[in-house]
């Protein structure tokens, strides 16, 4: 594993970015596009950035301006997140459906023929989605970056029935009435103290895009069904088999205080990826957004530009 020295911080910015939309068959995905500021050898290969659970495309607002020197970057809001559309009534948010969304977005809007490819950068849930897409459609992925992510969450096969029961109970019980927050800062304060803590500054970057006005205040725009348990999860063997199917060069950015820092058995997943480079960076799960993000930025820039 490699380490990199920290250097001056990067300021979050949307400068040069514009709101984008990618209509799919059933929903429309929204996000931000950071156009390439200059031409280069890889300027025709777009970079798609996929955020984590309950976040949105602004998760990459501190990286994208630095990475878009000669690459066009598309930060997408996953279905049910940010400004993207939600699943129809009666449906839930299945991991594989996110992968299909990504595939449709790529084929419908980002490539126009055989031989064209993209680079993928995914954080957390987004990393799992990108890994599954790279496994299923290897000819479209030139390089893959996973930030504090190395494949999907798994459950032992003997927990299949109990996992399904959890999903059924939640679906039938429904979601509780949404909390109304007086202002965006208050909502951001709640987000900063969540299961995965964030600084108030980083929480504010994410929060506004995930809110909508209601009753004189704000409620979460993110679909409440995102918190429902998945009715079916992959086994560890299935996860590792998908990782073995990845053919492209892959960068795994492991945060020293992240969710995977003490994960047991992770070496088996690392060994499953044929062309994997693992690097360590300081910081927590949101090491690409919170605190000094320069180490993450420099590793990604070097990896994506190295042929």
């Amino acid at each position: 594993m490699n380490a990199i020295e920290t250097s001056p911080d990067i300021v979050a910015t949307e400068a040069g970015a514009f709101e984008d939309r990618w209509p799919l068959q059933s929903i429309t995905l929204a996000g931000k596009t950071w156009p390439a500021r200059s031409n280069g050898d890889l300027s025709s290969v777009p970079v798609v950035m996929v955020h984590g659970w309950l976040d949105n495309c602004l998760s990459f607002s501190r990286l994208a301006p630095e990475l878009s020197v000669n690459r066009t970057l598309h930060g997408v809001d996953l279905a049910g997140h940010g400004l993207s559309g939600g699943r129809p009534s009666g449906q839930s948010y299945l991991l594989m459906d996110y992968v299909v969304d990504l595939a449709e977005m790529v084929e419908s809007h980002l490539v126009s023929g055989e031989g064209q490819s993209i680079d993928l950068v995914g954080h957390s849930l987004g990393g799992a989605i990108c890994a599954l897409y790279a496994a299923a459609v290897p000819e479209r992925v030139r390089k893959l970056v996973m930030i504090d992510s190395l494949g999907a969450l798994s459950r032992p096969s003997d927990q299949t029935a109990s996992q399904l029961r959890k999903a059924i109970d939640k679906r039938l019980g429904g979601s509780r009435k949404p909390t109304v927050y007086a202002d965006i800062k208050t909502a951001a304060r709640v987000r900063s103290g969540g299961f995965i803590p964030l600084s108030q500054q980083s929480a504010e970057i994410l929060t506004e895009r995930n809110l909508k006005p209601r009753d004189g205040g704000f409620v979460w725009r993110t679909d409440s069904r995102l918190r429902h348990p998945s009715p079916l999860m992959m086994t560890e063997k299935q996860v590792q088999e998908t990782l073995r199917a990845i053919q492209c060069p892959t960068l795994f950015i492991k945060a020293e205080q992240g969710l995977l820092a003490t994960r047991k058995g992770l070496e088996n997943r690392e060994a499953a990826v044929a062309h994997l480079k693992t690097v360590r960076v300081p910081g927590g799960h949101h090491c690409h957004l919170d605190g000094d993000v320069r180490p993450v930025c420099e590793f990604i820039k070097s990896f994506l530009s190295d042929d």
Side-chain angles (χ1 to χ4, degrees), residues 22-42:
W22 300 280
L24 306 183
Q25 294 182 53
S26 59
I27 62 173
T28 294
L29 298 179
K32 291 278 189 181
T33 290
W34 284 262
R37 301 195 297 274
S38 63
N39 292 324
D41 293 340
L42 295 172

Side-chain angles (χ1 to χ4, degrees), residues 111-300:
V111 298
S112 58
E114 293 184 8
Q116 290 193 316
S117 61
I118 62 171
D119 286 345
L120 289 172
V121 178
H123 169 245
S124 196
L125 169 63
I129 293 166
C130 290
L132 286 166
Y133 175 76
V137 196
E139 69 274 14
R140 285 299 191 204
V141 184
R142 191 187 74 97
K143 290 193 175 183
L144 167 66
V145 178
M146 292 180 284
I147 303 172
D148 215 41
S149 175
L150 191 62
L153 292 175
S154 66
R155 288 287 185 275
S157 58
D158 62 4
Q159 294 182 17
T160 301
S162 60
Q163 181 69 26
L164 178 58
R165 177 59 185 263
K166 290 178 184 178
I168 291 172
D169 289 346
K170 186 62 179 179
R171 174 75 71 87
L172 296 181
S175 301
R176 62 186 179 184
K177 185 177 179 180
T179 301
V180 179
Y181 299 98
D183 51 47
I184 294 171
K185 284 188 177 294
T186 300
R189 195 173 301 118
V190 172
R191 175 65 181 85
S192 69
F195 171 69
I196 303 174
L198 280 173
S199 68
Q200 179 71 12
Q201 179 187 25
S202 295
E204 289 181 12
I205 291 173
L206 293 173
T207 297
E208 184 172 1
R209 193 174 180 89
N210 278 351
L211 293 174
K212 59 184 178 182
R214 181 180 295 179
D215 299 333
F218 297 90
V219 298
W220 295 114
R221 181 190 299 275
T222 44
D223 196 321
S224 61
R225 290 174 292 173
L226 291 169
R227 297 181 179 275
H228 291 192
S230 174
L232 183 64
M233 298 182 70
M234 300 175 73
T235 65
E236 184 61 23
K237 182 177 179 181
Q238 288 176 313
V239 173
Q240 291 184 29
E241 288 300 325
T242 62
L243 293 174
R244 286 189 182 91
I246 297 172
Q247 299 177 13
C248 64
T250 302
L251 177 66
F252 168 37
I253 298 177
K254 186 176 183 180
E256 292 177 348
Q257 288 82 47
L259 294 183
L260 302 182
T262 59
R263 170 78 177 268
K264 294 182 179 179
L266 200 64
E267 63 276 4
N268 295 327
R269 292 192 177 198
E270 292 181 89
V273 184
H275 307 289
L276 181 70
K277 177 181 181 180
T278 298
V279 297
R280 296 176 63 91
V281 297
H285 186 56
H286 285 80
C287 56
H288 65 301
L289 173 66
D290 219 2
D292 182 6
V293 304
R294 179 70 62 176
V296 176
C297 185
E298 292 301 324
F299 275 130
I300 295 176

